[in-house]
């Protein structure tokens, strides 16, 4: 009963309502973008991007505090997307490039945060989010950034689909692959920024990658992929958030909201794998 | 056989002393040729001789670093690019990729549809016609990855045709095709030529070139010869292009001796 209760009425509480809004907007953007990550096999590049954006988030936080971190984060996101796009375009071993950029930037971010007063607490908040204490400003900024990310991919949808399907012919039919890659990578980086308050820099990868993977298991119809991906992310977010709340209220076990949501994403993926296994 | 005079149709493609390069490396040079509308040109030469380079050059993916090239009487640019259709060398397509054949062929219309416009009646009609021409109408709803290699190849050809190109560039279109698919493709090319479409294709197969092509460009890093099939496909020319390579001549496989004696 308590669980059912937390699925609905709990969201009347302002902090729960804010957490849900942030997650739903994030799910919509990451759900759609995640399909392209999956179709193009950009999981590792996405991992690289999340970490490359981290020093921007950290520097923004040190300079501007929680609500002010977005300026630094956005600059870092766009810079990281440009650098990784150009590097992976160079045909040097793309994985090695990403791994080097990823670790270097992440270390830089940790050093930035170490300059702030409450080092451990702040680092934790940046890495894992602070879903249940998201501020009103964070809701607004997160939503705007996530929607811009979504629009970048929606407006270039045809080109993105063409590249994903047949990279070799993309240029020949008049698309610019570099520009399309850049657009997608900037969109991924923006989702990373948007997710920093809700699930943090480490867990955002799950939000980017799991919904697309679930949708690929669920359907082979193009239009449905995007619906399933975003819909799944929203549902898993809702259930995860309600569970975290229910457990802390009824069982007095305070568990972090962001991590619970991510576990629900993964649980959904496992259930989908099982369902596919049974249907075979 | 009657002697045919120069066709009355306008020139579709004309190159004079043209060269194409990757950066500083000249991949193909000294190309001088003209192809008329409704004609088919076979590009023949050993691997790495510049056949695909030539197609990429016409498409605008490589710069013309010497000489001149005109497509339908104009210098290469966005307008000429729109009149070209391209069939890349067959790639491995992820069989799980979630698109139907029809959706793939619709991709050929994307350029006309821009980023936003939904498919209109003309787009759907062009897709249906391209599927009909390639003999794939009944497979329209099937997932692309489930088609056989030859059907996928024809599907990608249909994608190129859906854009109603005036010139079609086919990179090794007959590679890996079984006999029925091969015949279907030959037939499609004939129909297209009849409609005035100019066809440029690369191939290793001289018999096939004879079947559908009017002119031949023989290359080996540079132009060896250009002209009618009878004029170009001489033993001397083939030796110059293929010294030491194995070629198929009328179902006989022969290794041509090098002209320098090796």
């Amino acid at each position: 009963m308590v669980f059912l209760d937390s699925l609905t009425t709990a969201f009347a509480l302002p902090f729960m309502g804010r957490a849900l809004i942030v997650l739903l907007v994030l799910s919509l953007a990451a759900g759609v973008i995640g399909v392209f990550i999956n179709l193009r096999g950009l999981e590792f590049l996405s991992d690289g991007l999340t970490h490359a954006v981290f020093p921007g988030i950290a520097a923004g936080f040190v300079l501007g505090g929680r609500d002010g971190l977005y300026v630094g984060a956005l600059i870092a996101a766009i810079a990281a997307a440009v650098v990784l796009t150009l590097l992976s375009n160079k045909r040097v071993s793309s994985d090695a490039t990403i791994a080097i950029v990823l670790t270097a930037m992440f270390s830089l971010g940790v050093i930035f945060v170490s300059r702030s007063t409450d080092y451990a607490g702040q680092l934790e908040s940046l890495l894992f989010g602070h879903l249940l204490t998201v501020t009103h400003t964070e809701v607004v900024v997160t939503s705007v950034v996530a929607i811009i990310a979504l629009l970048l991919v929606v407006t270039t949808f045809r080109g993105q689909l063409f590249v994903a399907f047949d990279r070799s012919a993309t240029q020949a039919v008049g698309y610019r692959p570099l520009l399309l890659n850049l657009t997608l990578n900037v969109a991924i980086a923006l989702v990373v920024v948007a997710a920093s308050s809700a699930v943090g820099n480490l867990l955002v990868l799950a939000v980017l990658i799991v919904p697309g993977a679930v949708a690929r298991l669920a359907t082979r119809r193009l239009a449905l992929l995007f619906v399933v991906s975003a819909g799944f992310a929203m549902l898993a977010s809702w259930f995860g958030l309600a569970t975290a709340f229910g457990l802390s209220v009824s069982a007095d076990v305070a568990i972090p909201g962001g991590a619970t949501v991510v576990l629900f994403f993964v649980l959904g993926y496992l259930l989908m794998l099982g369902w596919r296994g049974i249907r075979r | 056989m009657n002697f045919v005079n120069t066709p009355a149709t306008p020139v579709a493609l004309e190159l004079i002393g043209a060269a194409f390069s990757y950066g500083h490396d000249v991949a193909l040079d000294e190309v001088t040729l003209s192809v008329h509308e409704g004609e088919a040109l076979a590009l023949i030469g050993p691997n790495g001789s510049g056949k695909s380079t030539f197609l990429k050059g016409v498409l605008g993916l490589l710069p013309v670093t010497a000489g001149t090239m005109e497509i339908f009487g104009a210098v290469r640019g966005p307008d000429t690019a729109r009149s070209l259709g391209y069939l890349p060398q067959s790639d491995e397509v992820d069989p799980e990729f979630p698109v139907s054949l029809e959706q793939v062929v619709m991709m050929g219309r994307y350029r006309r549809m821009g980023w936003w416009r939904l498919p209109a009646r003309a787009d759907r009609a062009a897709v249906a016609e391209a599927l009909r021409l390639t003999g794939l109408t009944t497979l329209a709803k099937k997932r692309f990855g489930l088609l056989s290699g030859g059907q996928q190849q024809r599907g990608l050809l249909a994608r190129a045709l859906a854009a109603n190109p005036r010139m079609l560039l086919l990179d090794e279109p007959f590679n890996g095709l079984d006999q029925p698919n091969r015949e279907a493709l030959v037939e499609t090319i004939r129909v297209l030529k009849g409609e005035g479409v100019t066809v440029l294709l690369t191939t290793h197969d001289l018999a096939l070139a004879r079947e559908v092509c009017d002119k031949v460009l023989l290359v080996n890093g540079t132009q060896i010869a250009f002209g009618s099939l009878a004029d170009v496909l001489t033993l001397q020319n083939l030796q110059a292009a293929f010294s030491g390579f194995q070629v198929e001549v009328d179902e006989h496989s022969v290794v041509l001796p090098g002209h320098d004696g090796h």
Side-chain angles (χ1 to χ4, degrees), chain A residues 39-40 154-162 164-169 171-175 180 216 219-223 225 276 280, chain B residues 59-61 81 84 86 88-89 91 93-94 96-99 103-104 107-108 110-111 113-119 143-144 156 159:
Chain A
L39 289 177
R40 297 195 53 189
V154 169
T155 50
T156 59
F157 184 87
R158 285 186 178 144
Q160 300 293 357
L161 184 65
F162 201 108
F165 174 69
D166 186 358
R167 201 187 151 81
S168 65
Q171 216 181 343
V173 301
Y175 286 117
L180 286 168
R216 280 300 293 277
T219 179
R220 280 165 173 159
R221 286 183 48 199
L222 188 64
L225 269 184
R276 276 289 294 267
R280 283 251 154 98
Chain B
L59 282 168
L61 305 183
L84 306 178
Y86 174 57
Q89 269 192 57
D91 279 326
V93 173
D94 172 8
E96 294 286 319
F97 200 95
V99 280
Q103 284 171 323
V104 169
M107 287 182 193
Y110 278 3
R111 217 164 140 147
M113 289 156 65
W115 298 108
W116 287 108
R117 188 170 63 74
L118 288 174
R143 188 160 88 240
F144 190 81
L156 293 180
R159 180 181 69 179

Side-chain angles (χ1 to χ4, degrees), chain B:
Chain B
M1 192 196 241
N2 291 326
F3 235 84
V4 184
N5 286 324
T6 315
T9 58
V11 173
L13 178 68
E14 184 158 52
L15 287 84
I16 301 170
F20 301 106
S21 312
Y22 292 95
H24 292 293
D25 300 325
V26 178
L28 181 64
D29 65 359
E30 297 294 325
V31 181
T32 298
L33 60 80
S34 70
V35 180
H36 292 258
E37 289 184 22
E39 285 185 332
L41 169 73
L43 292 139
I44 293 177
N47 289 332
S49 60
K51 301 190 298 285
S52 296
T53 300
F54 180 84
L55 294 186
K56 285 180 184 159
V58 176
L59 282 168
L61 305 183
L62 290 176
V64 181
T65 47
T68 59
M69 175 170 75
E70 286 194 351
I71 301 169
F72 297 115
V75 175
R76 193 180 66 180
D79 285 337
T80 60
R82 253 185 286 278
S83 56
L84 306 178
Y86 174 57
L87 176 68
Q89 269 192 57
S90 48
D91 279 326
E92 297 269 312
V93 173
D94 172 8
E96 294 286 319
F97 200 95
V99 280
S100 66
L101 169 62
E102 198 173 35
Q103 284 171 323
V104 169
V105 179
M106 186 59 87
M107 287 182 193
R109 298 295 294 179
Y110 278 3
R111 217 164 140 147
R112 284 163 187 262
M113 289 156 65
W115 298 108
W116 287 108
R117 188 170 63 74
L118 288 174
R121 186 174 298 177
D123 300 308
R124 296 188 192 288
V127 169
E129 173 62 11
L131 285 169
R132 192 192 61 78
L133 255 176
T134 49
L136 294 171
T137 306
T138 54
L139 299 171
K141 302 288 179 196
K142 204 158 183 189
R143 188 160 88 240
F144 190 81
L146 293 178
L147 304 177
S148 74
Q151 290 167 340
Q152 289 187 0
Q153 173 93 333
R154 277 151 64 196
L156 293 180
L157 177 64
R159 180 181 69 179
L161 294 179
N164 298 331
R166 294 173 67 193
M167 189 186 295
L168 197 55
L169 286 67
L170 312 173
D171 202 352
E172 299 289 353
F174 297 99
N175 264 13
L177 290 193
D178 55 13
Q179 197 58 28
N181 275 305
R182 206 184 108 127
E183 278 164 16
L185 184 53
V186 166
E187 186 50 35
T188 305
I189 292 173
R190 286 211 175 107
V191 171
L192 290 168
K193 283 171 62 183
E195 292 174 358
V197 176
T198 310
V199 179
L200 316 178
L201 62 88
T202 67
T203 182
H204 285 100
D205 190 331
L206 299 186
L208 217 132
R210 290 208 171 97
E211 237 178 293
V212 288
C213 294
D214 310 275
K215 289 179 175 167
V216 186
L217 173 66
L218 196 60
V219 291
N220 191 357
T222 184
Q223 176 168 325
I224 306 288
F226 166 76
S228 69
L229 287 110
D231 291 344
V232 171
L233 297 180
T234 62
L235 185 61
Q236 194 187 6
N237 280 338
L238 289 171
Q239 273 180 345
F242 284 92
S243 53
F245 283 89
Q246 180 174 309
V247 286
E248 309 271 338
V249 184
D250 300 333
E251 289 151 34
H252 301 291
S253 184
V254 285
V255 177
L256 293 166
H259 52 299
D260 52 358
H262 291 289

Side-chain angles (χ1 to χ4, degrees), chain A residues 102-151:
Chain A
L102 177 165
T103 43
M105 296 301 266
F106 199 64
S107 308
L108 197 60
V110 173
I111 290 172
F112 283 156
V113 189
S114 73
R115 306 315 302 153
S116 73
T117 41
D118 174 20
Y119 173 52
Q122 302 306 352
L123 188 64
E124 187 191 327
S125 163
L126 292 179
L127 289 180
F128 304 111
H130 46 270
L131 186 56
L132 298 179
T133 57
V134 168
T135 65
H136 181 71
T137 315
E138 283 175 323
V139 173
V140 174
V141 178
T142 297
S143 304
V144 170
V145 174
I147 291 193
I148 291 172
L150 181 62
L151 286 178

Side-chain angles (χ1 to χ4, degrees), chain A residues 197-219:
Chain A
S197 64
V199 292
N201 191 261
L202 278 188
L203 297 178
V204 61
L205 199 59
V207 179
L208 279 168
I209 285 170
V210 178
V214 167
R216 280 300 293 277
L217 288 175
T219 179

